Amino acid sequence: MKRFRRHGHDSQRDKLKQELYQFNKTVEHGFPHQPSALGYSPDLDLLAIGTRSGAIKLYGAPGVEFMGLHDENATVTQVHFLPHQLELVTLLDDNSLHMWTLRAHQGVSELLEVGRFTLTGPPGAPPSVTRVTTVLAHSSGELLLLGTEGGHVFVVEVPGFRELEERNISVEDVQARIPEEYAPRRNLECVEALQEKPLNPRQVLIGYGRGLMVLWDLDRQCAIQYFLGTQQLESVWWMEDGEHILSSHSDGSYCSWSTTDGDVQSQPEKQDTPYGSFPCKAISKVLQFPTKQGPPFLILSGGMPRASYGDRHCISVIHSKTHIALDFTSRIIDFFVIREGEQHTGDPSALVVLVEEELVVVDLQTEGWPVIQMPYLVPLHCSAITCSHHVSSIPLKLWERILAAGDLQNTHYSNKPWPINGGQNLAPEPPQRDLLLTGHEDGTVRFWDASGVCLYPMYKLSTAGVFHTDADPNDNLNQGAEGEWPPFRKVGCFDPYSDDPRLGIQKIHLCKYSGYLTVAGTAGQILVLELNDEMAEQVVSATVVDLLQGQDGFRWKGHARLDVQEEPVSFPPGFQPFALVQCQPPAVVTAIALHSEWKLVAFGTSHGFGIYDYQQKNVALARCTLNPSDQLAMEGPLSRVKSIKKSLRQSFRRIRRSRVSMRKHQTTNAAKLQEINARLEAEALQEMELAPVQRRIEARSSDDSFTGLVRTLYFADSFITDSAHNTPSLWAGTNGGAVFAYMLRLPPVERRMDDPVTAHQAKEIQLMHRAPVVGLVVLDGRGVPLPEPLEVAHDLARSPDMLASHHLLVISEEQFKLFTLPKVSTKTKLKLTAIDGSRVRRVGVALFGSSRVEDYGENSLVVLTNQGELHVISLPAIKMQVHHPCIRREDVSGIASCVFTKHGQGFYLISPSEFERFSLSARWLVEPRSLVELPDKSTLDPSKARLRDDGRGYDGRGVSDNDNSARHVMEHALLNDEKVLQEIQKSLEGDGGDTETIISKSPRPTF
């Protein structure tokens, strides 16, 4: 009958789909992977980070985020904001310059690339002549000075990227007046630094690699002062008075030079090596800031004694008698200082440091210089992420208790507010409170506020204290030993090292109604925790569960279980463990389920599954699922590494043998050669095909390894024995396509602590093709998934329909199959593999609300395949609704890390330190909506005059300052009032073609 279905029904359904489903990748949470450049605009109060993959990310006030991606897959080496403008320039390692702008569109700013430029030298010139090493964005906002490897300085007009050849500074012009006795005069090497002179923007300091510094006058086109340094130059810094210069060098020293002591200076006024007379590493950057009362702040990176501390990543802060070497756990990329005042000319308030694995902001105004807590850019990978779990719509009381426990952990942070607050966050307030829980390799679980654009850290739970580990609890990483030199202080939270890999968290389940939490680890440990607002000291005793159930012939070859602390352990306020289950053998826990209403936890490994009653603290069920052929299940993850290496070696040997045999039997017959090549190519393609397309479902052998591995566990109150009585039950699905159903008998409430919980096997289903079972869902009489435990009791869900028959949906890697209950007969199925060769990797149930009708929604199944595609499948009809490509199929770790929410959103790791957030829902969408505008011109520094040949202020495109103010008004009119825009357009018609450019905001020409 399908072919005769009316067309009107299809179009109506298609319209409804558009109201329910809409795919968007919305925001990236976490810390950018492999950062390579840092920039900051005091005018806009925005931070910019460039990465090795060519991404450029801007951050302002919490929620103000922008991202751009260069077409070239090249590293961003430098980022520079143009002063007093909404533009910034990036330099890539392919020597190309790119202009970006923050353009307002429909009331929201967008980051757009509007131009690109590459320096071209004279014909026949070597590449070093135009290879850019440093960039100076002039305070006029109209010029870029580009220093190169060849020692030349090119002057380029922006935003049009027009080279001003008559203003270029050649190395020959600089060498002309250098004294003959200056040794490095013949080879100055590359331009290492370009710095504009304070109070006189027409003079620029040029620093060369061999140590020479030259003060160049842009108006007179000549050098007016020489500083004859002889040590390899690393950086230069102007003092605010414009009369002194600091230079840092490769031998770990820095020098102070005076600009008032003559045209040629051969010696600095002062030279200092902060860390002694022993050979030191280079000081890569030095800054100095005055204070209103007291001595200045001196901040420098590097300079450590080479032999003793050459491997440290340090920034030294020296102020009066206080000297601290901030010690980071990863390489320093760059840093800058934020200053007080509207014009950012006051005392230093914060030091912002970008290192390879995190961003650290140090409060320079509070005693002890504590770190300021981050509202965003938090390194998710402080310890490697091993699993994640999302919980939607957290009750307010639980939310506040978690926040309070987290606040007690943050007493070492500064009380100062976040210092970077550019732009306006226009995103609406989140409609609900959402938690994202991440499990880590070091045994910690971190709680994140995932309600909005910023992924904010709320609380950290550590499970290591329950067990004996090699960590020293008295080890204080934040302070160095008293009297130690250099005076190190550890900063930052990135710590990739785990005391014991067995502590790694593999599964998490939180009940938001009762506050019970279950976490399971790598060594078969399952902890049950409850939220306590007070500190507690208690012994956590382990209940050992033998999942082998006395089967002979199996011997565990993997890691040993963790040793539990026998003495009472002190637990801070927050989630505190009160029960511990230890699986034996101590294999990785592969599945858990928590039913807080029944006070039961189900757990599964590669050997079997069990049920633990955490109210009576005893085991209710232990079932072995091992197949006699499952020998690999007894080896553990560390043993499997050896077998993988062995198989790789065998593969390479086969490849070498095939190549040798080809050389031995080589023939001159062209036809035979062509035939052999074609056959080898076909065989290679056949071997390389990881996910065959249009593959039929094939039966899998029961001899496959890990057939007993438990993939999913599910508690349900349904009809399992007859259609008249619903009973509690546990369902377990395995890697071998088996589904086990156990009927649970719970004692009445008044006898709950006395009578045991019993479990009896009621059903067993074996899928014909033995495909791994990755999900189980029971649908009530209305075809709606059963509610979560305690959800109905809290009046947050309708009671399930117990009058009509229930159905069991079994989701395997290859198909979706709906069975009737209690008879377990097939009702309908959908074969995913037969369509496109995909296999199900992640599955979840979500409620999709209509974007048009407030009270209409549909429950659907959300599926991610090994191809990286998202599918939405209707319930209970089991029909495909929409599908979208989301993740590259080569990104195996990204697919494995995906987690779905209850409202059609999801997260997956795009790098070890970043989550990509996506949405399949047309109603629920979390994305940045921000507006960045130029500050009022009255707050800008009047000394930063625009350059012109005649010395008067001007706009480089031939527009006067008055016209600029008109343009500023017009940009606001674009956002607010169309009539005002038309009036301004008429008033500017006399300016010719320039008016059209201003109004349309068309992209700048590309060179």
Side-chain angles (χ1 to χ4, degrees):
M1 293 295 293
K2 289 182 180 178
R3 67 178 66 180
F4 299 109
R5 196 166 50 187
R6 287 185 299 174
H7 177 71
H9 183 273
D10 288 344
S11 61
Q12 186 178 358
R13 182 60 192 172
D14 290 341
K15 184 179 179 181
L16 186 57
K17 284 182 185 179
Q18 293 177 2
E19 296 171 2
L20 292 172
Y21 313 116
Q22 181 180 330
F23 176 69
N24 290 286
K25 290 186 178 180
T26 56
V27 65
E28 293 177 3
H29 297 299
F31 181 76
H33 185 49
Q34 295 181 329
S36 55
L38 177 68
Y40 176 67
S41 169
D43 301 321
L44 303 178
D45 203 6
L46 291 180
L47 168 80
I49 295 177
T51 71
R52 292 188 202 172
S53 60
I56 177 74
K57 299 188 177 186
L58 272 59
Y59 302 91
V64 177
E65 298 184 12
F66 303 93
M67 177 185 169
L69 189 64
H70 295 86
D71 294 336
E72 300 82 0
N73 188 19
T75 299
V76 180
T77 57
Q78 295 184 43
V79 180
H80 300 274
F81 284 90
L82 299 187
H84 324 312
Q85 298 190 35
L86 294 173
E87 278 86 19
L88 66 151
V89 173
T90 56
L91 173 67
L92 306 189
D93 66 352
D94 64 359
N95 206 41
S96 62
L97 287 158
H98 301 255
M99 177 72 71
W100 298 80
T101 186
L102 286 166
R103 182 175 298 166
H105 176 66
Q106 296 181 350
V108 178
S109 296
E110 300 173 342
L111 181 62
L112 303 173
E113 182 179 357
V114 293
R116 63 186 64 189
F117 172 74
T118 302
L119 273 178
T120 55
S128 62
V129 171
T130 55
R131 181 75 186 177
V132 179
T133 55
T134 185
V135 177
L136 170 62
H138 197 272
S139 62
S140 65
E142 308 297 342
L143 296 178
L144 290 180
L145 277 70
L146 311 177
T148 67
E149 277 186 3
H152 303 280
V153 178
F154 293 84
V155 182
V156 176
E157 188 181 60
V158 288
F161 279 133
R162 183 171 68 90
E163 183 182 343
L164 305 179
E165 295 185 10
E166 69 280 2
R167 289 195 173 193
N168 290 345
I169 306 169
S170 70
V171 69
E172 291 80 13
D173 294 339
V174 172
Q175 289 171 329
R177 290 181 55 194
I178 300 177
E180 290 290 338
E181 63 272 13
Y182 183 62
R185 70 183 299 272
R186 302 206 175 271
N187 182 15
L188 301 180
E189 293 188 356
C190 64
V191 178
E192 283 286 352
L194 287 169
Q195 287 282 333
E196 186 178 318
K197 184 177 181 179
L199 309 179
N200 188 356
R202 295 175 181 82
Q203 294 180 3
V204 173
L205 184 70
I206 308 171
Y208 293 92
R210 291 294 291 273
L212 175 71
M213 294 179 290
V214 177
L215 187 58
W216 186 270
D217 192 298
L218 294 174
D219 289 342
R220 294 156 54 190
Q221 292 291 296
C222 65
I224 57 176
Q225 208 163 8
Y226 288 86
F227 307 91
L228 307 182
T230 54
Q231 281 292 340
Q232 192 78 21
L233 184 69
E234 295 290 328
S235 72
V236 299
W237 177 254
W238 275 104
M239 307 292 278
E240 272 199 347
D241 56 9
E243 297 181 355
H244 292 86
I245 299 167
L246 288 182
S247 62
S248 67
H249 302 275
S250 61
D251 62 348
S253 67
Y254 69 91
C255 302
S256 175
W257 307 78
S258 173
T259 60
T260 59
D261 293 344
D263 294 345
V264 178
Q265 291 187 40
S266 57
Q267 295 293 331
E269 276 190 337
K270 174 188 173 185
Q271 182 171 353
D272 189 18
T273 305
Y275 294 106
S277 57
F278 292 104
C280 294
K281 297 199 72 175
I283 295 178
S284 58
K285 187 173 181 178
V286 62
L287 308 176
Q288 184 166 311
F289 298 95
T291 57
K292 293 177 182 177
Q293 297 176 350
F297 273 89
L298 178 67
I299 303 172
L300 49 93
S301 61
M304 288 290 124
R306 188 178 296 273
S308 306
Y309 304 107
D311 58 343
R312 298 287 187 104
H313 312 289
C314 294
I315 289 181
S316 300
V317 183
I318 303 168
H319 175 63
S320 184
K321 296 181 180 180
T322 307
H323 183 155
I324 291 178
L326 303 173
D327 190 8
F328 300 88
T329 55
S330 56
R331 184 174 63 89
I332 297 167
I333 305 297
D334 201 356
F335 65 93
F336 63 86
V337 171
I338 298 175
R339 303 177 67 179
E340 287 183 324
E342 289 186 356
Q343 298 181 11
H344 304 278
T345 56
D347 287 359
S349 61
L351 169 65
V352 182
V353 185
L354 175 66
V355 296
E356 272 192 333
E357 305 294 349
E358 60 185 323
L359 186 80
V360 179
V361 181
V362 180
D363 178 7
L364 296 178
Q365 294 188 333
T366 301
E367 186 178 357
W369 298 338
V371 171
I372 299 175
Q373 189 171 16
M374 312 276 296
Y376 49 73
L377 285 174
V378 183
L380 305 176
H381 63 316
C382 293
S383 174
I385 295 176
T386 49
C387 66
S388 53
H389 174 66
H390 187 274
V391 189
S392 300
S393 305
I394 303 294
L396 179 60
K397 185 175 181 181
L398 176 64
W399 186 267
E400 291 175 342
R401 293 178 69 190
I402 294 173
L403 272 176
D407 289 341
L408 295 175
Q409 298 176 336
N410 297 332
T411 54
H412 61 286
Y413 285 112
S414 167
N415 293 324
K416 286 291 182 75
W418 181 245
I420 301 172
N421 290 293
Q424 306 170 46
N425 179 16
L426 304 179
E429 285 295 317
Q432 58 194 26
R433 293 171 293 273
D434 289 353
L435 269 180
L436 180 67
L437 283 70
T438 54
H440 297 263
E441 192 178 45
D442 61 355
T444 59
V445 178
R446 286 174 166 83
F447 289 64
W448 308 88
D449 177 358
S451 312
V453 174
C454 295
L455 197 65
Y456 184 78
M458 295 177 62
Y459 167 73
K460 183 178 80 170
L461 163 70
S462 177
T463 63
V466 180
F467 308 99
H468 286 289
T469 62
D470 296 331
D472 182 3
N474 298 317
D475 185 19
N476 188 351
L477 293 178
N478 289 327
Q479 300 293 339
E482 189 173 347
E484 179 187 14
W485 186 260
F488 292 117
R489 192 184 90 189
K490 284 280 187 185
V491 287
C493 59
F494 177 72
D495 182 12
Y497 306 108
S498 173
D499 297 317
D500 194 327
R502 296 174 297 172
L503 290 169
I505 305 298
Q506 298 297 326
K507 296 292 175 183
I508 307 170
H509 194 111
L510 171 68
C511 175
K512 60 186 177 184
Y513 304 111
S514 64
Y516 284 111
L517 172 69
T518 305
V519 296
T522 303
Q525 72 272 24
I526 300 103
L527 281 165
V528 187
L529 308 96
E530 62 181 340
L531 192 55
N532 190 348
D533 299 329
E534 303 293 333
M535 181 177 289
E537 187 171 331
Q538 58 197 32
V539 177
V540 182
S541 57
T543 301
V544 179
V545 182
D546 180 15
L547 290 178
L548 292 181
Q549 293 294 291
Q551 290 207 22
D552 297 328
F554 291 98
R555 186 171 63 86
W556 174 248
K557 303 174 185 176
H559 49 248
R561 75 186 200 187
L562 286 161
D563 295 324
V564 183
Q565 297 271 14
E566 298 176 356
E567 300 296 325
V569 180
S570 179
F571 296 103
F575 284 95
Q576 299 171 351
F578 66 90
L580 169 63
V581 181
Q582 178 61 60
C583 296
Q584 196 64 28
V588 174
V589 178
T590 56
I592 61 169
L594 170 68
H595 202 295
S596 50
E597 191 172 358
W598 301 341
K599 303 292 191 293
L600 299 177
V601 172
F603 51 90
T605 71
S606 55
H607 307 122
F609 61 92
I611 300 175
Y612 179 73
D613 178 356
Y614 61 81
Q615 186 165 357
Q616 295 187 15
K617 295 189 177 180
N618 59 30
V619 179
L621 170 69
R623 165 69 190 260
C624 181
T625 56
L626 272 179
N627 186 288
S629 62
D630 281 353
Q631 288 300 323
L632 273 181
M634 305 306 296
E635 294 183 2
L638 300 180
S639 301
R640 288 203 300 278
V641 174
K642 298 178 182 178
S643 64
I644 292 170
K645 289 181 178 178
K646 182 179 178 182
S647 63
L648 285 172
R649 282 196 298 268
Q650 291 173 348
S651 301
F652 283 118
R653 285 170 185 164
R654 281 199 301 270
I655 293 170
R656 283 198 295 268
R657 283 200 297 268
S658 65
R659 289 175 177 170
V660 170
S661 62
M662 282 179 61
R663 284 197 293 268
K664 286 181 179 177
H665 297 91
Q666 199 168 22
T667 177
T668 57
N669 190 323
K672 286 185 178 180
L673 264 176
Q674 191 172 359
E675 181 183 348
I676 292 171
N677 286 333
R679 180 161 48 84
L680 286 171
E681 186 176 351
E683 290 174 0
L685 286 172
Q686 187 175 357
E687 290 179 3
M688 289 170 62
E689 186 62 51
L690 297 177
V693 179
Q694 297 294 343
R695 185 179 69 80
R696 294 172 180 262
I697 295 180
E698 299 170 358
R700 305 189 187 195
S701 169
S702 61
D703 296 334
D704 287 352
S705 299
F706 293 106
T707 56
L709 185 145
V710 179
R711 293 287 292 270
T712 183
L713 293 163
Y714 182 73
F715 283 111
D717 186 359
S718 185
F719 303 98
I720 191 169
T721 54
D722 59 70
S723 56
H725 303 90
N726 58 295
T727 57
S729 59
L730 172 71
W731 301 77
T734 72
N735 220 35
V739 178
F740 303 96
Y742 276 78
M743 183 173 64
L744 307 178
R745 295 196 183 276
L746 302 174
V749 176
E750 62 273 10
R751 302 285 300 169
R752 185 64 180 85
M753 286 299 296
D754 303 320
D755 297 346
V757 175
T758 59
H760 306 281
Q761 184 169 348
K763 306 285 184 186
E764 182 174 343
I765 307 169
Q766 179 61 61
L767 298 181
M768 186 183 301
H769 303 290
R770 300 183 182 276
V773 177
V774 296
L776 295 165
V777 181
V778 173
L779 307 178
D780 69 4
R782 293 187 297 266
V784 176
L786 295 182
E788 295 180 20
L790 297 174
E791 193 172 11
V792 176
H794 285 75
D795 295 327
L796 295 172
R798 293 174 62 184
S799 298
D801 185 349
M802 292 296 182
L803 299 177
S805 60
H806 286 196
H807 293 85
L808 171 69
L809 176 60
V810 178
I811 303 132
S812 74
E813 281 191 352
E814 301 183 344
Q815 65 180 348
F816 310 88
K817 207 165 189 177
L818 194 66
F819 296 91
T820 59
L821 290 177
K823 292 184 178 180
V824 193
S825 57
T826 304
K827 183 177 180 180
T828 184
K829 62 183 176 182
L830 174 64
K831 297 180 180 179
L832 184 68
T833 303
I835 299 171
D836 61 1
S838 300
R839 293 187 181 183
V840 177
R841 286 290 179 260
R842 286 286 181 269
V843 64
V845 176
L847 174 64
F848 289 90
S850 169
S851 59
R852 188 176 64 88
V853 182
E854 184 68 28
D855 57 352
Y856 180 78
E858 292 184 6
N859 285 290
S860 301
L861 209 61
V862 185
V863 174
L864 177 67
T865 71
N866 62 334
Q867 307 286 319
E869 292 187 339
L870 290 168
H871 299 261
V872 178
I873 297 165
S874 63
L875 293 176
I878 318 298
K879 291 182 179 179
M880 193 78 70
Q881 298 300 302
V882 293
H883 70 276
H884 299 278
C886 180
I887 310 174
R888 292 181 302 108
R889 71 176 187 177
E890 298 84 8
D891 187 4
V892 179
S893 60
I895 293 172
S897 65
C898 183
V899 58
F900 295 116
T901 77
K902 297 293 185 183
H903 294 93
Q905 299 186 52
F907 303 81
Y908 68 92
L909 288 172
I910 54 174
S911 74
S913 59
E914 292 172 289
F915 273 114
E916 175 84 69
R917 187 176 192 139
F918 63 86
S919 175
L920 284 161
S921 173
R923 179 189 291 182
W924 288 289
L925 190 68
V926 175
E927 62 179 350
R929 291 181 58 82
S930 313
L931 178 64
V932 177
E933 298 176 297
L934 282 172
D936 186 5
K937 289 200 172 189
S938 62
T939 64
L940 299 180
D941 190 348
S943 67
K944 307 295 185 183
R946 297 182 182 274
L947 284 180
R948 193 175 182 178
D949 290 338
D950 59 6
R952 292 179 294 167
Y954 93 118
D955 183 297
R957 287 156 291 192
V959 182
S960 69
D961 287 340
N962 291 333
D963 292 333
N964 264 330
S965 61
R967 175 184 304 183
H968 189 63
V969 173
M970 187 179 299
E971 288 174 348
H972 283 277
L974 282 166
L975 303 177
N976 298 312
D977 195 338
E978 195 69 29
K979 291 181 180 179
V980 176
L981 173 61
Q982 292 172 0
E983 291 176 6
I984 297 176
Q985 183 174 355
K986 290 178 182 178
S987 68
L988 294 177
E989 282 178 353
D991 291 345
D994 232 19
T995 305
E996 183 180 351
T997 305
I998 295 169
I999 295 170
S1000 65
K1001 294 286 283 183
S1002 60
R1004 270 84 178 201
T1006 301
F1007 294 93

